[in-house]
Every structure is written in structure tokens, then in C-alpha cells.
């Protein structure tokens, strides 16, 4: 079973990070934090999103390194989970990249 | 023992009851797989007839054939039947039939569950069919958007048929998904490690996991909408704190993965059939597995792209557009693997290959129009026109029907043991191909000219008349083609001569059994050392038949198979199945009564049905296991294995784990819905929050934690040779305490019909209460089993399963209590 979990692990983290940051964005917009009336929120919320994004990228990198240092039961699992860990890293960078270039709730 | 004698002996043990009675009591996966496929194609025919009626209506302007209401029922039922009653069950049927044969084993993990799922599908489908025949079919489109489908705009029973019937059918999908997941992970031939599994099994594994996580949001949405319609709980009513966008989120959380749930198994068929047609092996097995997993995950991050026109913030649009473009990468890997495979081999143009080519051409066009629709400005242009419908059919028909036909023609010689004798199939293919492209190219075109989808009539001077007529004409060619396919298959089944074994020269295990396959599949389980064992080892079939593998000596009249370690494929333990029984059909009939009582609003009967379900389930679970310890079972010359009831990770534990994964997704969607309404819905905050009450919260969470501790204590007692009865009863008492706290919460909730907040809290506490009562029932069951002598230090499977459910009940009850008290503290 640990082999199956290893295969699913990195993409799961991507999915969690993606949903979390999308939710965080919605939450910020709903709670006035990111609305322009509060100047602090206006400055802080985009930074929070970017920080969350960087942490997610960091976790994916740690996963890749972790995978290199541990051996699964089958060489095959190593190959597949390796491909997927890189895929998840690219997905994290690409799908959440908008936090860098956009702000606001409209 | 010689091969014939072994065959007779095994067949006597494994075969279903003869004649029509066997239909109702069979638990055999080959029988049920055939029944699934037959029923699915019956619905394909119904859905196809509806499509013909739609096209007949649209063939001419101002057609008087169907009015607006009838037309709405036609397209809604066409979409619903095709998606829920044809595509998913057809895949389930094929997988149920093929997976044990591909994996070199005797049956699926839970034969009775296969039967239960099948009958739920039949009864749920019958409900929808009835509504269609009676003219009260659902009419809100296949995605059922409220407020159109809410109690105010659609007071009739039509929508209830959809919500209740589809939920019933989805039980069947969940059952099949649990079944297939555990079967693929645990029920394989000895030696078949993960990397030696036939590629089709990988796709079905991924698909099953997707069903387990994709269907719960829709089930939740359906329940919420039905509660709103039946009891006025305003989940989707904006003026009372609800939000119809919540439905769209829940629907597309299901709906987008659904497209891949249909496509991935179809791709699995291509990856299986194409290499055989090209006389080679699949290029890049590991990459293909990775691509399938990646596609599955990405498809869960795309749902919002169906909602771009609803005013989602730009940032959200950007997230989901970016994620949508990513899908191209694994899809490309997949396609390159297929092209590379053809390049590497020598493709031969047999009939399955024709359908694969049909798939390629259609799917590529569907992909291109998909990219067009994904471009946001273009989406604004064609949104809700016939262009979108046409695109959708290129993907669904191209990506599903062509591969499915390829698979059917590929495995037909295995199903029947016969060979085709006339080129009817080729003619049928040509008609289907021409008819399909004629129909839907024309629909792209009128869509660009501005014809909207779901319109029942149009003006003669709109300039669409000729194109629509061409489309309708082609659709009749398509229908004739599909009818010919059916005739061809029927002829093949009943009229042609016997063929030779393995006509395509494939390497996977299903061809090494007799064809048509016997009730037990393999007279002995082969030891697998390569990915396609039958390719090089040509006398494998004989050795299997002569009993030179595992489990060749029938043990009394027991149906036995073995499981393997998930990764390495080393033999793990022996499983004994129950024999033919009518319990599954009884249970699904009782389940049907439950749904009927909701549909017909006979609510006093609902609790009766629930109790009946509990009683039948109790009998079902009670009938397995034994009261004596038994030793190891000999499975081969010098290998002995333990029995399933002596391990903690028994099949029941595995199945419970994956069922709980689905359940947790349901719960997660519920919490998402709560948070969504709280933050996004316009009518918040509610007039009044729940009054926090510490004693209730503490008693509830404390007893939940205690229940988990006590069931562990029971397991420890059992391990040490003491009676686990006291731990079990203490856990039961703690669970009752949790239930009391949740009841107290339920009674204090602000008016659930007055605001979505109260309605949501009612649902959340109801969910918690249901699961604690379920834990209580299981603990009571365990206690009864202990008294009856079914549990011993050696026979420890049951307590481990109950622990899983108790933990889940305790965890969800805690979360329910905490999140109910949370808002009042935060604000
Ligand atoms: C057999 C050939 C088929 C034909 C001729 C056909 C024709 C049509 C037409 C004309 C519509 C549009 C109705 C309208 O918007 O006014 C439609 C809708 C639809 N079709 Fe098909 N179809 C076929 C097969 C399929 C298959 C195989 C599937 C799925 C696996 C499918 C799924 C759908 C769905 C989901 C809709 C949308 C229903 C809605 O708007 O609520 N169709 N079909
Ligand atoms: Cu989508």
C-alpha cells in the first residue's frame, strides 16, 4: 500500500494547495481583508497568497528530495512517483502563478 | 487430477443456479458483468431513441412533433441516461467482467456487493424509465441547475425522479468502485506485482478512485436539493441565505471529473487493444500510468471552468484557466505513447483497430474544439449554443463510444468462444463514422451561426434549416450503423462457429482461460513473472487447466481464492466467498423502498425501510466467518496461507477504508458548502447564531474520544486472550453519549426553514448523528459476534473493521460539534 500512497502523494499535495489557496483568496475577499477600504488588507492579502504559494512550492521540492532519498518496494513505483512529483511541482508553479500577477476580488 | 475432472469439480462449486432463477441469486462476476453490459446497452438504445426524437424535432423549423415541455424532458433524459445509465454502468460492467480475468484470479473482492450494486442500478434506472414513460420525466437539463429545479419553479415530481433515482444509481457506482479498487489492489495472481499488472487494471484503479472522490459531491448536492424541495430547507434560495451557485460548485466538482471517469477506462481499452493490434507491447508503461494518475488529479482542479460566466473573480478564472491548460501535458504523453506503440509495431487493420482510428480522428477534433471553448472570449461567444453540444459529443462519443466498441469487438471472441464470419461489423463502422461526423459537424456549424442549445424550435428565416436537416439525416445513418453493430454482436453470440483460443495473439491472462470463460475463471492460479505471461509461455493455458498453479485442489465445496501483497504480489491470505444468494437483490429492493418512500413522500414508511435495511445488512454480515480457529490452508505444493478472518487488514477492512474515503469526501464537500455559504452567499450573517453550550460540546467530543479508546481496549483484550466484551460495551456506551450530545445540538438549532444557516447545521448534526448511530450499531453487532464465539485472539478481523468505523464516527462527530459552535465564537 505504501507504494500506492507514494504514487498519489505529490499530486495530492498539489490538489490540497490549489484548493487551499483558491479558498484563501475567496476567504480574503469575503472578510474585507483584501478589499481596498482597509489599506492594511490591501497590502497584506496578496502577500499572504504569494507566501502560501511559495510554501506550496517548497513542499513540492521537499517531496522530490525526500523521494530521492527513500526507496520504494518496486523500482517501478520510484519511476512513476518521481515523474508525478515533478509534474506536481510544475502544476503548483503554473496553476497558482496568478497570485504573482493579479490582485483583487473582481 | 486431469483437466476435465478438475473442471467438473470446480464448476460444481462455482456455478450459478441454472435457468432464470440464477439471475436473481448469482454472485458470479462474469454473470453480473454480462448483466451490467446488457442493461447498459439497453439504456444506450433508449438514450439513442431519445436522440433520434430530438433530431426529428430539430430537422425542420417550427416542427410540431414535440412541444417545449416534452422537448425539455427529451434532452434532459437523453443526457441523463447516456451519462448515468449508459456510460458509467457500461464501464463498470466491462471492468466487473474483465478485471478478475486480466488479473488471473477467480472473482472480485465482494461477489455479493457486485450483485447488490447491479440491482441498485436496475431499480434506480427503472424509476427514471417509469418517469419517462409516464410523461413526468425530469426536464431541467442534465445538470439540473437551481433555482430552475427548486421548489418554486419546478413544483412537480419530475425533478424528484432525477434527484432520487440518480442517487440510487450512484450507490451502484460507489459499490462497484470500492469493489474494483480492492480487487485490483489485493486480488491478483501470485507474483503479479504492481508493475506487472495489465495496463487496463491501472486505468480502472484510477477511475475507481475517481468515482469514490468524484461522486460524493453530486450525491450531497442531490440530497440538499431534495431536502429543499421536500422540506423547505433553503440551501439554494438566495433570499433565505442559500446560494444556487453552491449547486453549480457541487455539480461540477463531480461533473468535470465525470468526463475523465468516462474517458480514462476508454483510454485503458485503447492502451490494451492497440499494442495487440500492432503486434507489440505498449510503449512507456510507467509514463502511461503516471499520465493517467496526473489526468485524474488535474481533473479535480478544473471544475470552476464550467462557471466562468457566473461572475467568478478574475483571479479564480486565472487559476482554473491555468490548471485547464495543464491537462494537455498528460493527454499528450498518453497520445504519444499510442503513436509510439504503432510506430514500434506493425499495425493490422482488424475491426477493433478501425474503431481505434475512429476514436483518434474524432477525439483530436473534439480536443481542438475543446481548446477553442477553453479560450475565455470564445467561450462567451459560443456559450450555450449547439457548438458546445457538438464539442461535447465529439469528446463523449469519440472518447468513449468508439473505444468501447473497439473493446467489445476485441473481447467478443473471449466472451463467446466464437468467431465472426461476415463483414457486417466493418459496414456498421463505416455508417457510424459517417453518420456521427455528419450529425455533429453540422451542429458545430449551426452553433457558430448562433443556434442555441436546448431550443425546441427555430424560425425558417434563421438560415439554419438545411444544416439542421443534414444533421438529422446523418443522425439516422448513425442510428442504422449502431443497430447493425447490435445485430452483428447478437449474430456473433448465437449463430457463428467456434473460434480458436486467443485469435489476436494477446499476452494477457484472460486468454489463457477457456473461452467462453468458466464460472471459476482459472482451474488454478498461474504464477506471474512478466507483464504479458501468455505471450512467450504458450503452454501456460494447459498448465493452468491441469492444475499446475495455486489453489488447484478444491477444498470441500468452498469457493476459495487468494489475495496478494499490494506492491510485490506475494501471496497473502486465503479468502472464502459465500455461495449463491438472494440477499443482494433483497437488500437492494429494500433500499429501493427507502428511495420510493422519499419519492412518493410517504415519510412514515422511511424509518421502516431504514430498519429493514439494517436487518438485512445484519444478516448479510452475520453469515460469514466461523466459530472455530482453523489452521493454515494449503494453496500449493509447499505454500500454506492464513485465512482472511485471522488478519486485521481483511477484505472487509480494505473495503471499509475505501468506502470511508468516499464518505470523507462527502463530509468534506459538506464542510465546503458550509464555508461557501458563510463567506459567499449574499444573505449572511443569519438573524441568529447557535448559542454555544460548553457541556454539550465537551460531553460530545469527550465521549467520541472515549469510544475510540475503548474499541482499542477491546482489541488489546482480544489480543491478550481476554474477552473483548467489556471494551466493546464501553465503546458502545460512549457512542450513545455522543449521539445524545448531537441530539441536543439538533434540538437547539435555529429555525432550519428560515435560513440556510439553520438548514446547514441541521444537516451537519444529522450527518454526525447518523454516523454515531452507525458506530453504535456496529459495536452492538460486534458484541453479539463476541458472545456467539466468532471472535478469538486468532480471528481478529471483525474488531479491526469496527474500530475503523468507530474512529470515523468519532472524528466526524467531533468536527460536527466544533464547527457548529464555531461561528458564534468567531463573531
Ligand atoms: C447516439 C448518438 C447521439 C446523438 C444523435 C445525440 C444527439 C444529441 C443532441 C441533438 C443533443 C442536444 C439537445 C439540445 O440541446 O437541444 C444532445 C445532448 C446531449 N447528449 Fe447526446 N447524442 C448522442 C449520443 C450521446 C452520448 C453517447 C452521450 C454521452 C455519453 C450523450 C450525451 C449528451 C448530453 C450530456 C447532452 C446534454 C443534455 C442537456 O443539455 O441537458 N449523447 N445529444
Ligand atoms: Cu470541465
Amino acid at each position: 500500500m505504501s507504494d500506492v500512497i507514494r504514487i498519489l502523494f505529490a499530486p495530492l499535495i498539489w490538489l490540497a494547495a490549489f484548493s487551499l489557496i483558491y479558498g484563501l483568496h475567496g476567504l480574503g475577499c469575503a472578510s474585507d481583508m483584501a478589499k481596498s477600504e482597509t489599506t492594511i488588507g490591501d497590502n497584506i492579502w496578496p502577500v499572504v497568497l504569494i507566501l502560501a504559494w511559495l510554501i506550496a512550492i517548497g513542499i513540492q521540492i521537499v517531496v522530490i528530495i525526500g523521494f530521492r532519498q527513500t526507496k520504494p518496494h518496486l523500482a517501478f513505483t520510484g519511476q512513476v512517483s518521481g515523474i508525478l512529483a515533478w509534474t506536481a511541482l510544475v502544476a503548483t508553479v503554473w496553476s497558482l502563478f496568478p497570485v504573482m500577477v493579479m490582485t483583487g476580488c473582481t | 487430477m486431469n483437466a476435465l475432472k478438475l473442471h467438473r469439480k470446480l464448476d460444481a462449486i462455482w456455478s450459478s443456479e441454472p435457468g432464470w432463477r440464477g439471475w436473481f441469486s448469482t454472485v458470479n462476476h462474469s454473470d453480473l458483468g454480462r448483466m451490467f453490459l446488457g442493461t447498459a446497452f439497453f439504456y444506450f438504445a433508449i438514450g439513442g431513441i431519445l436522440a433520434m426524437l430530438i433530431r426529428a424535432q430539430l430537422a425542420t423549423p417550427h416542427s410540431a412533433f414535440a412541444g417545449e415541455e416534452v422537448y425539455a424532458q427529451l434532452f434532459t433524459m437523453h443526457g441523463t441516461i447516456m451519462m448515468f445509465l449508459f456510460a458509467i454502468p457500461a464501464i463498470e460492467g466491462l471492468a466487473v467482467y474483465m478485471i478478475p480475468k486480466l488479473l488471473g484470479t477467480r472473482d472480485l473482492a465482494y461477489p455479493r456487493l457486485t450483485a447488490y450494486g447491479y440491482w441498485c442500478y436496475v431499480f434506480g434506472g427503472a424509476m427514471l424509465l417509469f418517469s419517462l414513460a409516464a410523461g413526468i420525466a425530469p426536464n431541467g437539463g442534465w445538470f439540473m441547475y437551481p433555482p430552475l429545479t427548486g421548489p418554486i419553479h419546478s413544483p412537480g415530481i419530475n425533478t424528484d425522479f432525477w434527484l432520487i433515482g440518480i442517487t440510487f444509481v450512484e450507490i451502484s457506482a460507489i459499490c462497484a468502485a470500492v469493489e474494483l479498487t480492492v480487487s485490483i489492489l489485493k486480488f491478483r495472481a501470485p507474483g503479479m506485482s504492481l508493475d506487472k499488472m495489465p495496463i487496463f487494471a491501472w486505468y480502472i484503479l484510477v477511475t475507481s478512485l475517481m468515482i469514490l472522490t468524484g461522486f460524493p459531491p453530486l450525491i450531497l448536492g442531490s440530497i440538499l436539493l431534495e431536502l429543499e424541495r421536500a422540506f423547505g430547507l433553503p440551501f439554494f434560495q438566495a433570499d433565505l441565505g442559500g446560494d444556487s451557485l453552491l449547486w453549480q460548485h457541487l455539480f461540477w466538482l463531480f461533473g468535470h471529473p465525470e468526463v475523465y471517469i468516462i474517458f480514462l477506462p476508454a483510454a485503458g481499452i485503447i492502451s490494451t487493444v492497440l499494442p495487440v493490434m500492432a503486434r507489440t507491447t505498449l510503449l512507456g508503461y510507467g509514463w502511461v500510468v503516471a499520465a493517467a494518475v496526473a489526468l485524474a488529479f488535474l481533473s479535480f482542479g478544473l471544475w470552476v471552468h464550467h462557471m466562468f460566466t457566473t461572475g467568478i473573480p478574475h483571479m479564480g478564472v486565472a487559476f482554473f484557466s491555468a490548471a485547464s491548460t495543464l491537462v494537455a501535458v498528460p493527454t499528450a504523453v498518453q497520445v504519444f505513447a499510442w503513436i509510439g506503440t504503432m510506430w514500434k509495431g506493425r499495425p493490422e487493420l482488424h475491426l477493433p483497430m478501425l474503431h481505434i482510428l475512429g476514436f483518434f480522428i474524432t477525439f483530436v477534433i473534439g480536443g481542438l474544439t475543446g481548446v477553442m471553448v477553453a479560450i475565455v472570449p470564445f467561450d462567451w461567444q459560443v456559450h450555450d449554443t449547439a457548438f458546445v453540444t457538438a464539442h461535447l459529443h465529439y469528446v463523449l462519443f469519440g472518447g468513449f463510444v468508439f473505444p468501447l466498441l473497439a473493446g467489445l469487438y476485441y473481447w467478443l471472441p473471449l466472451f463467446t468462444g466464437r468467431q465472426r464470419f461476415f463483414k457486417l461489423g466493418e459496414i456498421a463502422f463505416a455508417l457510424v463514422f459517417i453518420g456521427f461526423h455528419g450529425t455533429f459537424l453540422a451542429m458545430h456549424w449551426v452553433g457558430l451561426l448562433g443556434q442555441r442549445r436546448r431550443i425546441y424550435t427555430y424560425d425558417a428565416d434563421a438560415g439554419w434549416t438545411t444544416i439542421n436537416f443534414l444533421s438529422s439525416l446523418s443522425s439516422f445513418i448513425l442510428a442504422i450503423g449502431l443497430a447493425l453493430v447490435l445485430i452483428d454482436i447478437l449474430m456473433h453470440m448465437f449463430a457463428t462457429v467456434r473460434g480458436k483460443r486467443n485469435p489476436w495473439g494477446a499476452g494477457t491472462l484472460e486468454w489463457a482461460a477457456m473461452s467462453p470463460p468458466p464460472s471459476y475463471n482459472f482451474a488454478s492460479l498461474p504464477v506471474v513473472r512478466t507483464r504479458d505471461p501468455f505471450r512467450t509461455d504458450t503452454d501456460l493455458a494447459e498448465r493452468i487447466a491441469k492444475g499446475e498453479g495455486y489453489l488447484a485442489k478444491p477444498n470441500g465445496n468452498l469457493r476459495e481464492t487468494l489475495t496478494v501483497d499490494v506492491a510485490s504480489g506475494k501471496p497473502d491470505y486465503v479468502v472464502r466467498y459465500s455461495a449463491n444468494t438472494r440477499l443482494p437483490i433483497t437488500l437492494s429492493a429494500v433500499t429501493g423502498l427507502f428511495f420510493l418512500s422519499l419519492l412518493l413522500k410517504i415519510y412514515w414508511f422511511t424509518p421502516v425501510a431504514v430498519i429493514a435495511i439494517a436487518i438485512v445488512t445484519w444478516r448479510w454480515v452475520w453469515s460469514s466467518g466461523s466459530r472455530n480457529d482453523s489452521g493454515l490452508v494449503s494453496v500449493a505444493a509447499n505454500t500454506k496461507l492464513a485465512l482472511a478472518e485471522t488478519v486485521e487488514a481483511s477484505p472487509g477492512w480494505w473495503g471499509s477504508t475505501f468506502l470511508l474515503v468516499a464518505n470523507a469526501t462527502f463530509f468534506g464537500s459538506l464542510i465546503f458548502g458550509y464555508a461557501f455559504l458563510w463567506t459567499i452567499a449574499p444573505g449572511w450573517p443569519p438573524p441568529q447564531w447557535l448559542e454555544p453550550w460548553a457541556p454539550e460540546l465537551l460531553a460530545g467530543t469527550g465521549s467520541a474520544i472515549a469510544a475510540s479508546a475503548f474499541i482499542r481496549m477491546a482489541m488489546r483484550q482480544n489480543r491478550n486472550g481476554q474477552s473483548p466484551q467489556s471494551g466493546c460495551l464501553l465503546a458502545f456506551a460512549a457512542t450513545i453519549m455522543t449521539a445524545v450530545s448531537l441530539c441536543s445540538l439538533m434540538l437547539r438549532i435555529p429555525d432550519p426553514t428560515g435560513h440556510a444557516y439553520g438548514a446547514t447545521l441541521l444537516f451537519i448534526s444529522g450527518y454526525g448523528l447518523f454516523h454515531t448511530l452507525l458506530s453504535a450499531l456496529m459495536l452492538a453487532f460486534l458484541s453479539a459476534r463476541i458472545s456467539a464465539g466468532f471472535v478469538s485472539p486468532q480471528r481478529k478481523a471483525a474488531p479491526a473493521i469496527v474500530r475503523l468505523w468507530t474512529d470515523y464516527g468519532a472524528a466526524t462527530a467531533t468536527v460536527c460539534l466544533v464547527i457548529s459552535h464555531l461561528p458564534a465564537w468567531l463573531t
Side-chain angles (χ1 to χ4, degrees):
Chain A
M1 193 58 194
S2 61
D3 283 59
V4 176
I5 291 174
R6 187 184 173 110
I7 289 176
L8 303 181
F9 193 69
L12 259 178
I13 293 186
W14 166 75
L15 194 59
F18 185 75
S19 314
L20 214 77
I21 292 179
Y22 177 58
L24 221 55
H25 170 68
L27 205 69
C29 291
S31 67
D32 297 342
M33 282 281 270
K35 287 197 183 132
S36 37
E37 301 109 56
T38 54
T39 32
I40 317 171
D42 202 24
N43 297 330
I44 280 194
W45 207 246
V47 177
V48 170
L49 290 182
I50 291 173
L51 220 64
W53 178 55
L54 292 177
I55 293 173
I57 294 175
I59 294 177
Q60 294 290 4
I61 293 173
V62 171
V63 169
I64 291 179
I65 296 172
F67 276 2
R68 286 181 165 227
Q69 286 169 354
T70 53
K71 254 180 99 118
H73 296 288
L74 303 171
F76 164 78
T77 320
Q79 181 204 1
V80 175
S81 61
I83 298 173
L84 284 167
W86 281 100
T87 312
L89 174 62
V90 173
T92 309
V93 173
W94 174 249
S95 65
L96 292 170
F97 181 72
V99 297
M100 283 296 283
V101 289
M102 301 174 82
T103 51
C105 298
T106 49
Chain B
M1 212 182 309
N2 79 24
L4 191 62
K5 245 166 98 188
L6 183 58
H7 165 69
R8 292 224 175 98
K9 228 168 152 180
L10 282 166
D11 201 48
I13 298 173
W14 288 82
S15 61
S16 313
E17 284 182 77
W20 59 269
R21 307 177 58 185
W23 289 40
F24 303 107
S25 64
T26 182
V27 287
N28 179 284
H29 80 96
S30 296
D31 288 347
L32 287 160
R34 271 195 299 266
M35 287 153 78
F36 252 116
L37 278 171
T39 315
F41 274 86
F42 166 75
Y43 280 112
F44 188 36
I46 304 271
I49 291 170
L50 293 178
M52 289 306 110
L53 296 179
I54 293 174
R55 280 311 328 166
Q57 167 75 11
L58 293 180
T60 52
H62 292 303
S63 167
F65 178 70
E68 186 164 16
E69 166 61 25
V70 172
Y71 189 79
Q73 293 189 14
L74 286 181
F75 71 71
T76 303
M77 286 303 283
H78 164 72
T80 303
I81 287 181
M82 286 299 192
M83 299 300 265
F84 294 102
L85 301 180
F86 163 59
I88 301 284
I91 279 307
E92 282 160 13
L94 188 67
V96 161
Y97 188 89
M98 290 309 307
I99 284 294
K101 298 183 176 69
L102 282 161
L103 298 180
T105 185
R106 284 188 173 149
D107 208 322
L108 292 166
Y110 319 101
R112 292 182 299 179
L113 190 69
T114 328
Y116 174 68
Y118 173 73
W119 292 110
C120 283
Y121 163 46
V122 169
F123 294 146
M127 276 186 183
L128 285 160
L129 214 53
F130 171 80
S131 74
L132 186 64
I136 45 175
N139 51 9
W142 86 284
F143 36 72
M144 288 279 137
Y145 280 0
L148 193 68
T149 51
I152 299 162
H153 296 275
S154 304
I157 197 172
N158 310 48
T159 307
D160 303 312
F161 268 110
W162 196 96
L163 296 171
I164 290 170
I166 291 300
T167 303
F168 195 8
V169 172
E170 263 157 26
I171 293 183
S172 139
I174 298 275
C175 290
V178 170
E179 169 103 274
L180 291 166
T181 307
V182 178
S183 302
I184 294 169
L185 291 178
K186 291 297 290 180
F187 289 69
R188 307 195 295 258
M192 187 184 277
S193 49
L194 281 180
D195 55 338
K196 299 195 186 73
M197 282 206 306
I199 191 74
F200 188 67
W202 270 108
Y203 283 97
I204 294 295
L205 177 63
V206 173
T207 309
S208 302
L209 291 173
M210 288 181 74
I211 290 179
L212 291 180
T213 44
F215 277 33
L218 180 62
I219 297 178
L220 173 68
S222 304
I223 296 176
L224 295 184
L225 187 51
E226 186 55 32
L227 285 174
E228 170 169 317
R229 295 174 52 82
F231 304 110
L233 304 186
F235 295 106
F236 305 108
Q237 255 157 271
D239 50 337
L240 293 177
D243 193 340
S244 58
L245 269 187
L246 175 61
W247 170 269
Q248 295 200 22
H249 274 292
L250 292 175
F251 185 87
W252 289 115
L253 259 171
F254 147 83
H256 190 87
E258 158 87 351
V259 175
Y260 290 81
I261 289 172
I262 292 177
F263 170 63
L264 277 175
I269 296 174
I270 309 272
S271 292
T272 307
V273 178
L274 188 67
V276 179
M277 293 294 126
R279 323 222 58 76
T280 177
T281 53
L282 181 68
L283 182 74
Y285 177 91
W287 284 88
V288 171
V289 171
V293 175
L295 263 183
F297 272 99
L298 288 173
S299 73
F300 280 96
L302 305 184
W303 80 95
V304 176
H305 73 199
H306 295 269
M307 301 166 58
F308 283 169
T309 46
T310 61
I312 301 279
H314 289 300
M315 175 101 82
V317 172
F319 285 156
F320 286 92
S321 300
S324 301
T325 56
L326 273 177
V327 173
V329 179
T331 312
V333 169
Q334 174 74 87
V335 171
F336 283 129
W338 289 331
I339 294 175
T341 304
M342 285 199 280
W343 200 265
K344 184 164 86 123
R346 289 176 286 113
E348 293 173 4
L349 214 56
H350 301 292
L351 186 51
M353 191 64 190
L354 280 181
H355 282 282
I356 291 181
L357 292 179
F359 153 79
F360 269 126
I361 295 166
T362 314
F363 194 71
V364 166
I365 300 177
L368 291 178
T369 51
V371 173
M372 289 162 76
V373 179
I375 299 168
V376 176
F378 189 78
D379 183 36
W380 281 94
Q381 190 71 36
V382 297
H383 188 76
D384 265 347
T385 67
F387 188 90
V388 172
T389 320
H391 154 69
L392 176 132
H393 285 81
Y394 264 78
V395 176
L396 288 174
F397 204 100
F400 181 72
V401 179
F402 278 123
L404 187 67
L405 292 179
L408 279 184
Y409 274 117
Y410 174 73
W411 276 307
L412 211 48
L414 178 80
F415 294 168
T416 63
R418 299 167 191 260
Q419 59 187 20
R420 290 193 317 122
F421 75 135
F422 182 66
K423 295 216 172 288
L424 204 57
E426 279 78 357
I427 299 169
F429 169 76
L431 291 177
V432 169
F433 188 81
I434 295 167
F436 173 82
H437 283 274
T439 309
F440 291 103
L441 278 177
M443 278 180 65
H444 276 116
W445 187 8
V446 280
L448 286 179
L449 293 182
Q451 178 172 324
R452 306 195 72 70
R453 67 191 284 194
R454 296 178 173 175
I455 50 159
Y456 75 108
T457 186
Y458 52 91
D459 281 331
D461 54 12
W464 305 336
T465 313
T466 322
I467 314 176
N468 269 310
F469 184 74
L470 275 179
S471 171
S472 296
L473 194 69
S474 308
S475 78
F476 280 85
I477 298 179
L478 169 59
I480 294 169
L482 288 171
L484 276 188
V485 170
L486 185 69
I487 293 172
D488 191 29
I489 289 180
L490 288 178
M491 298 242 294
H492 190 289
M493 278 162 68
F494 299 111
T496 57
V497 296
R498 281 202 67 82
K500 67 175 204 282
R501 188 204 292 264
N502 197 6
W504 314 112
T508 39
L509 283 174
E510 79 271 30
W511 300 102
M514 282 195 276
S515 42
S519 52
Y520 53 85
N521 283 346
F522 298 93
S524 61
L525 306 191
V527 178
V528 171
R529 296 201 181 79
T530 63
R531 205 169 286 155
D532 28 20
F534 199 33
R535 171 183 280 279
T536 42
D537 189 357
T538 38
D539 61 344
L540 181 66
E542 260 160 71
R543 294 208 313 276
I544 290 175
K546 276 200 240 150
E548 292 176 19
Y550 281 63
L551 289 174
K553 288 200 192 65
N555 187 350
N557 60 355
L558 292 169
R559 296 184 181 183
E560 282 184 340
T561 193
L562 56 78
T563 63
V564 296
D565 172 62
V566 173
S568 67
K570 275 205 282 294
D572 197 355
Y573 51 81
V574 169
V575 172
R576 289 183 177 157
Y577 295 126
S578 58
N580 304 330
T581 160
R582 282 186 196 78
L583 267 178
I585 187 170
T586 311
L587 184 57
S588 61
V590 179
T591 316
L593 289 180
F594 167 77
F595 283 108
L596 263 184
S597 73
L598 295 178
L599 180 65
L600 303 177
K601 308 206 187 305
I602 312 175
Y603 295 120
W604 62 266
F605 189 76
T606 312
V608 180
V610 171
I611 292 170
I613 292 174
I615 293 172
V616 181
T617 314
W618 185 293
R619 276 203 49 199
W620 174 311
V621 190
W622 190 270
S623 63
S624 44
S626 60
R627 294 176 203 238
N628 305 313
D629 289 348
S630 49
L632 301 178
V633 181
S634 165
V635 294
N638 42 22
T639 318
K640 286 189 168 159
L641 294 180
L643 274 177
E645 62 188 19
T646 66
V647 297
E648 287 191 356
S650 64
W653 183 88
W654 282 94
S656 298
T657 304
F658 287 104
L659 193 55
L660 288 176
V661 167
N663 199 336
T665 318
F666 182 92
F667 190 54
S669 312
L670 176 59
I671 294 177
F672 163 77
Y674 183 38
F676 178 83
L677 288 179
W678 186 0
T679 50
I680 307 284
W684 286 56
Q688 160 201 12
W689 296 106
L690 176 86
E691 201 63 43
W693 190 33
E696 174 187 280
L697 184 64
L698 291 179
T701 50
S703 59
I705 295 169
S708 284
F710 286 135
I711 182 73
R712 282 178 171 67
M713 178 177 125
M715 291 183 72
R716 207 169 332 108
Q717 288 169 330
N718 188 43
R719 223 172 290 139
N720 299 339
Q722 298 155 298
S723 164
Q725 195 63 271
S726 60
C728 183
L729 289 176
L730 280 171
F732 179 80
T735 320
I736 295 297
M737 185 65 224
T738 322
V740 170
S741 313
L742 284 161
C743 283
S744 143
L745 171 68
M746 240 174 167
L747 292 175
R748 299 189 310 111
I749 283 168
D751 177 21
T753 54
H755 193 274
Y757 170 66
T760 312
L761 279 201
L762 183 67
F763 194 82
I764 289 177
S765 51
Y767 179 91
L769 185 62
F770 174 77
H771 282 86
T772 28
L773 291 180
L774 193 64
S775 306
L777 187 66
M778 289 196 161
L779 287 159
F781 179 84
L782 182 62
S783 165
R785 293 285 278 191
I786 294 169
S787 303
F790 281 102
V791 177
S792 78
Q794 197 203 52
R795 281 167 285 130
K796 53 183 180 286
I801 298 171
V802 176
R803 181 187 65 188
L804 207 56
W805 287 88
T806 309
D807 283 349
Y808 184 79
T812 47
T814 307
V815 174
C816 289
L817 282 162
V818 171
I819 59 175
S820 303
H821 284 77
L822 206 59
W825 281 327
L826 286 186
T827 48

